[in-house]
Amino acid sequence: LEYRPIEDLLLRGTVSSVFRAPTISDLYQGVSFGGGGGGIDPCFGLVGANAACVGVPGDGTFAPVLDDVPPHRPIQGTALFAGSVTAGSPIGPEQGRTFDWGFVYDPHWLPGFSWSVDLWRVYLNNEIGWIFPQQVLDICYLNNGGPYCPLIRRYTHGELQGQIQYVTAPRGNIGRVDVKGVDTAVHYRLPATSVGNFAFSFDATYLDRFTDDVTPGLPGDIPEEYAGHYTNGASAISGANFSRWKALATLNWNLGAWSAAWTLHYYGKYTVGYAREDYQASACQSNYPPGCELKYGASVYHDVTIGYAIERLNTRIDVGISNLSDKQPALIYENNTKNGNVDANTFDTVGRFYWARVTVKF
């Protein structure tokens, strides 16, 4: 829907349905070893019977077996990961809605200027993701049955009888994602001057919410809030930066065949880990103490370019410097999930570098 109440102002809004079918990997990914971490067994101290506790005595005596290495932690089963079909677990498509409301202001009294603001929201139901071993155990136990119970395998004899041997973590529909924020953009092409033409642009996004509710409706469910955080390996969405503020600003200049540009990239501050102990997503590697978080400041990158067009040869020459200030990336200390403990998807890992380009049109 678009509506222009006055010449200088455009109001706009969009509502869309979104749909994503499972990918081939979601369905048919083979079984892979996930190491230790089969989850905390809900059957310890069981009295009675439960579908998650096949082979476990129901007289309340069932307890964890401790290893023989101080401080003698409980022996954990193995976690295996597999696609939904491979694991024998049902899966369906994601479905959701997107909403966008905003305006564009381009006043006639200031030619070349425009300003837009858009408020947006996205939500997804039946989110496709890993159903981790702890969730498999809890869902089966709380429902006393269901499609995830066959994913639990226990030892049938020996001193570990009844203990978890492994839990298969499949891809499945288990969650809801709610995201909302604000986009703003300012563009202004200044009137021509004797020293050239100038144009300025500024685009920014503020992320107000990125909530991932992995197990909605289950007792003890804690929706994870990613806005303002870098998600570590303990999160359902791992290895992603969700700084609340991100921005891009550019100043362009041209005079005849010459042109130049300065670009600024801004990534706002963020934290790794959560102060809330019940999130169980710690930033500290030593025994993973809950409630540990590390704070990181904002990062700014500067790029400059200059170019010259040789029109008679249909040729353009550009040279530039990227990451002018030689800004170094922060260490995230995710030594099992990040190459070099660096978020290469967000930050520059090369440092300052120089480049040149020749473009010829035929």
Side-chain angles (χ1 to χ4, degrees):
L1 176 67
E2 292 185 347
Y3 174 58
R4 191 176 288 273
I6 59 176
E7 180 183 356
D8 297 348
L9 181 64
L10 172 68
L11 305 179
R12 60 189 182 186
T14 302
V15 178
S16 302
S17 293
V18 296
F19 173 94
R20 185 176 83 86
T23 66
I24 291 177
S25 295
D26 292 335
L27 295 168
Y28 301 107
Q29 179 175 328
V31 178
S32 61
F33 177 68
I40 299 174
D41 196 339
C43 301
F44 293 143
L46 175 71
V47 176
N50 189 284
C53 310
V54 176
V56 172
D59 57 3
T61 61
F62 187 62
V65 175
L66 306 181
D67 63 27
D68 55 1
V69 179
H72 302 294
R73 296 187 178 90
I75 295 176
Q76 290 187 320
T78 299
L80 302 178
F81 292 84
S84 65
V85 174
T86 306
S89 175
I91 193 173
E94 294 178 337
Q95 295 181 339
R97 290 283 178 90
T98 70
F99 305 88
D100 184 282
W101 304 274
F103 68 84
V104 181
Y105 180 59
D106 47 357
H108 66 278
W109 52 267
L110 188 58
F113 176 84
S114 69
W115 173 41
S116 66
V117 175
D118 291 279
L119 288 75
W120 49 268
R121 182 191 172 198
V122 180
Y123 75 80
L124 284 177
N125 290 319
N126 301 320
E127 175 194 7
I128 296 175
W130 290 115
I131 304 177
F132 291 104
Q134 189 64 63
Q135 295 157 8
V136 171
L137 289 165
D138 291 343
I139 293 172
C140 176
Y141 184 84
L142 293 171
N143 292 304
N144 194 13
Y148 300 129
C149 293
L151 303 177
I152 304 170
R153 180 63 61 89
R154 296 180 180 274
Y155 290 100
T156 57
H157 59 275
E159 62 178 8
L160 294 178
Q161 183 173 351
Q163 302 290 328
I164 296 174
Q165 183 179 5
Y166 64 84
V167 177
T168 301
R171 287 280 195 175
N173 305 105
I174 181 171
R176 175 186 168 97
V177 176
D178 281 280
V179 187
K180 68 176 182 177
V182 181
D183 290 345
T184 186
V186 177
H187 301 274
Y188 184 38
R189 181 173 293 279
L190 284 70
T193 69
S194 60
V195 294
N197 303 310
F198 294 88
F200 170 79
S201 65
F202 173 80
D203 297 270
T205 293
Y206 176 75
L207 182 63
D208 180 64
R209 176 196 296 174
F210 197 117
T211 304
D212 187 16
D213 192 349
V214 180
T215 54
L218 289 182
D221 173 47
I222 303 173
E224 293 191 69
E225 179 55 63
Y226 296 142
H229 289 265
Y230 176 89
T231 62
N232 61 10
S235 303
I237 302 176
S238 63
N241 188 313
F242 294 98
S243 296
R244 289 191 181 272
W245 281 105
K246 293 182 180 181
L248 176 69
T250 303
L251 177 63
N252 290 290
W253 166 86
N254 78 282
L255 179 63
W258 290 95
S259 63
W262 164 71
T263 303
L264 180 147
H265 306 262
Y266 176 85
Y267 302 96
K269 62 182 180 179
Y270 58 96
T271 63
V272 177
Y274 294 85
R276 290 179 55 179
E277 295 188 1
D278 51 8
Y279 265 70
Q280 297 298 313
S282 175
C284 301
Q285 295 294 314
S286 178
N287 295 327
Y288 299 94
C292 175
E293 63 178 4
L294 300 175
K295 296 184 180 296
Y296 293 80
S299 296
V300 179
Y301 296 96
H302 302 269
D303 302 334
V304 293
T305 63
I306 187 169
Y308 183 77
I310 309 173
E311 293 187 4
R312 68 181 185 277
L313 299 178
N314 295 321
T315 299
R316 178 177 178 83
I317 301 173
D318 294 281
V319 296
I321 306 174
S322 296
N323 194 356
L324 181 65
S325 60
D326 197 26
K327 176 73 174 179
Q328 299 299 306
L331 293 177
I332 304 297
Y333 300 106
E334 284 289 292
N335 51 334
N336 286 324
T337 60
K338 284 285 141 223
N339 186 7
N341 289 321
V342 170
D343 176 17
N345 294 320
T346 303
F347 304 112
D348 175 52
T349 59
V350 178
R352 182 193 300 119
F353 66 94
Y354 307 85
W355 58 268
R357 179 175 61 237
V358 177
T359 305
V360 181
K361 293 184 179 180
F362 297 93

